[in-house]
Structure formats: C-alpha cells, structure tokens
Amino acid sequence: MLSLLSLAKNKKWNLPIQKYSISNHLQFSSFKNPSFQRLIASEVIGIKLGTTNSCVAVMDGSEPRLLENSEGFRTTPSMVAFTEEGERLVGIAAKRQMDTNATNTIFGVKRLMGKSITDPEVEQFRQRVSFKIVKSPKDNEAWVEANGRSYSPAEIQGFVLSQEVVERYFGKKASKTINPDEVVATGVAFQTGVLIGEASSMTIQDVTPLSLGLETNGAVMTTFIPKNSPLPSVKSRIVLTAEDNQTQLELKVLQGERTMASHNRSLGSVLIEGIEPRPRGEVSFKVTFSVNTQGMATIKAKNLLTGEITTGEIDPTATGDEIEALMSDHQATWVGDAKRSRLMKLRGETDSLMVKIETMIRKTRSCAEPLP
C-alpha cells in the first residue's frame, strides 16, 4: 500500500495535507471535490515513507521528477536520532552516529504502525533493535522511547517527512537514473498525474529489486523469487539432503544476480534440525519462499518424510547503494557467470542422476533374496 500526500504550493488555499491510500483499484470520490482538484492542480508530491529509506517525487508537467534532500541525495534513510543535547537528527545524519548512540537512534518504525505492544511481530522486532519499544500512554499501541520521552511511530515518520519535503525543489535538474526506492515515489507522483489527467494511464505494482534464493549444493545460488517479481510473490522448490546421514540442513538465504553464492548478499539463514539420518537424497523438503507487500520474506521448509515444518523470517531490504553495487557487479561479470552457470547446471544434473542411481541400487539390494 502506498500513500499519496498532496501539498499546496499556492498558500492562498491554506488547506491541510490530505492522505489517500493507493491500491490496484483506484476509486477516489474525494478527487471530485473542487477544492481538492484546485489543490492538486497547484502541486502534487509523491512521497514514499519507507521502512528503510524514504524518497520524494513531483509531477513536473507530464513528467515525474525526483527531489534531492538537503545533502544532495535522492533517498533518505528512514532514521531519526536524539542526542544528549536534545538535538534531533534525521536521515543520513542519524545513520552516521548510530554506532555511538544506538539506544536513541530510531528506525524501522513502519513495522510498528497500528500494532499492539503484545503483537508477536512487535516482540520479534524488539529483539532486533537497540532502542526501547514501549506501550503508548493512551492505549495499547506500540511506541518507541528515546532520551526518556516516548514517540508514536507516526511522529517518527513525520520527522522523516520534515527532512524530505524541502521548499527548494523547484528548478532542480531531473534525473533519469532511479533505484527501487525512487521508483515508488516516482510511481506515486505519476499515478496522481493520471488521476488529474496530466499523464497516460498506468498501473503501479511493487516488485522485488533483486532476486532471492538459497545457496545449494556446489556453493551456487538457486533463485526462488526472480528480480522484478510482483509483490506479493510465492515460489516453492524441492530441496534434498546432500550428504549421507545428514541430521541438520542450513538454508542460507541470498539476494543478488550472481551464479556463485559467495558473490551475492547474504541475508541470514534458517536451520532445520532433527533430520532422520539417511543416505543423501532420501530426505527431501518442500521449501517455500513468500514475500509480502511490505517486502518481508518468509521461508517455510516442510520435511516431506515427517511433515514437520520449519519457518523463518528474513528482511531483504537493501539500500539504493547496495542494489546499485550488486547490479553493477552482475553487469560486469554476466558473461563469465553464464558459462559458470551452465557448468554448474551440468554438475547438478549429474549429481542428481548419481543420487537416483544410488537409491535404485539400495532398493534393489534390499528387495533381492539372499543366495542359497
């Protein structure tokens, strides 16, 4: 779900910010309101208040234009820090001092919005951060605390918005090079242009910026969710044990486009334990990758022998710089990777054939009657 926030450039209207949700089926009765039509005709800004990064774009006539923040970047880390002196830092400034002020540097609060303090997802998030997550003084909602004061997730997001929306955006040179964070902001502005008749009709769909997969036998990456897959997305594959008498299996989750696992970004792992010792290939798992509309990935592995299920959650969120670096690396090495991929595919097929042959031999031996 994206958010559309409209701001009036012409102050004579003196209207407050209005917020509308954008889904695949856009039905906005509020756009028929004459005051609102005059408002969006003055100026429309598309804002992506992201979990990790935030970005802003405007419609410059019929073209979307990305805005730079005060430090000259088009994406701003969705982070807010509070210093001992009472100063509030936003974006890059907050990120720079995070290591020395971890308990008062707030990030990822989008995961808390609208959630109760007792929500299991809130507890999982609490274990991954250094700042305090506290109960709202008004109700049971999850808030955060910094320097002894509590803030709602909306307040923190609002601080990031104050950093992003600058008054000096007119006349800035538009850039045609965008990353996934910028795509969201550009899309919101473009969709608004569609609604007011200044741009051609189009549909906005969030996609995965990079491929997601697992490290498999031979230290290669096996892709489950390809790059640019629409969200939400689900994909399943069968994974076999690769060694005799294997009692545990580590599913190493990767992000990127390279053939070899070590050349991609490691996101973490899901450990499957208690596997019954058997010859390699005899224990199989149905591994399912699912990525929700917020970009969070869930990995579920079902033991097809026992029915036991192991699950884990991975956050594949990457910064614009990380995505650009991975894509540049892929573009520079794709020829060698293509050759390596073909070789690894042949090795994998040979190994699978050997497993089938070994299994057939064992079954034949077990069924054969002993000689007199």
Side-chain angles (χ1 to χ4, degrees), residues 148-186:
R149 179 183 168 185
S150 58
Y151 299 87
S152 70
E155 281 184 281
I156 299 298
Q157 290 284 70
F159 295 149
V160 176
L161 175 61
S162 299
Q163 170 75 18
E164 276 289 285
V165 182
V166 295
E167 296 179 357
R168 298 179 299 157
Y169 62 84
F170 292 106
K172 285 184 178 288
K173 183 178 179 180
S175 174
K176 298 298 182 181
T177 304
I178 58 176
N179 62 37
D181 291 308
E182 296 164 353
V183 168
V184 177
T186 302

Side-chain angles (χ1 to χ4, degrees), residues 282-335:
E282 284 199 6
V283 183
S284 57
F285 299 85
K286 181 181 180 181
V287 178
T288 301
F289 260 70
S290 59
V291 184
N292 63 22
T293 54
Q294 300 299 319
M296 292 297 293
T298 300
I299 295 88
K300 181 173 72 172
K302 180 179 181 180
N303 188 322
L304 297 181
L305 192 66
T306 65
E308 294 182 24
I309 295 176
T310 303
T311 61
E313 189 177 76
I314 298 290
D315 185 357
T317 304
T319 65
D321 290 341
E322 288 172 330
I323 293 170
E324 185 176 353
L326 287 167
M327 289 305 301
S328 297
D329 185 45
H330 168 59
Q331 292 167 3
T333 58
W334 73 270
V335 175

Side-chain angles (χ1 to χ4, degrees), residues 214-222 254 258-264 340 344:
L214 295 178
E215 178 179 340
T216 53
N217 195 25
V220 299
M221 174 175 170
T222 298
L254 305 171
R258 299 292 304 275
T259 298
M260 304 306 295
S262 60
H263 295 160
N264 293 289
R340 195 174 292 111
M344 292 300 176

Side-chain angles (χ1 to χ4, degrees), residues 109-183:
V109 293
K110 192 175 179 181
R111 305 188 194 284
L112 302 178
M113 296 189 75
K115 288 187 170 62
S116 166
I117 191 70
T118 59
D119 192 303
E121 291 185 19
V122 172
E123 183 56 34
Q124 290 178 7
F125 185 59
R126 188 202 304 274
Q127 296 174 9
R128 295 163 48 192
V129 299
S130 299
F131 55 86
K132 292 182 179 179
I133 299 177
V134 298
K135 182 177 176 295
S136 164
K138 302 177 182 179
D139 49 36
N140 208 39
E141 186 179 355
W143 284 25
V144 297
E145 183 179 296
N147 281 348
R149 179 183 168 185
S150 58
Y151 299 87
S152 70
E155 281 184 281
I156 299 298
Q157 290 284 70
F159 295 149
V160 176
L161 175 61
S162 299
Q163 170 75 18
E164 276 289 285
V165 182
V166 295
E167 296 179 357
R168 298 179 299 157
Y169 62 84
F170 292 106
K172 285 184 178 288
K173 183 178 179 180
S175 174
K176 298 298 182 181
T177 304
I178 58 176
N179 62 37
D181 291 308
E182 296 164 353
V183 168

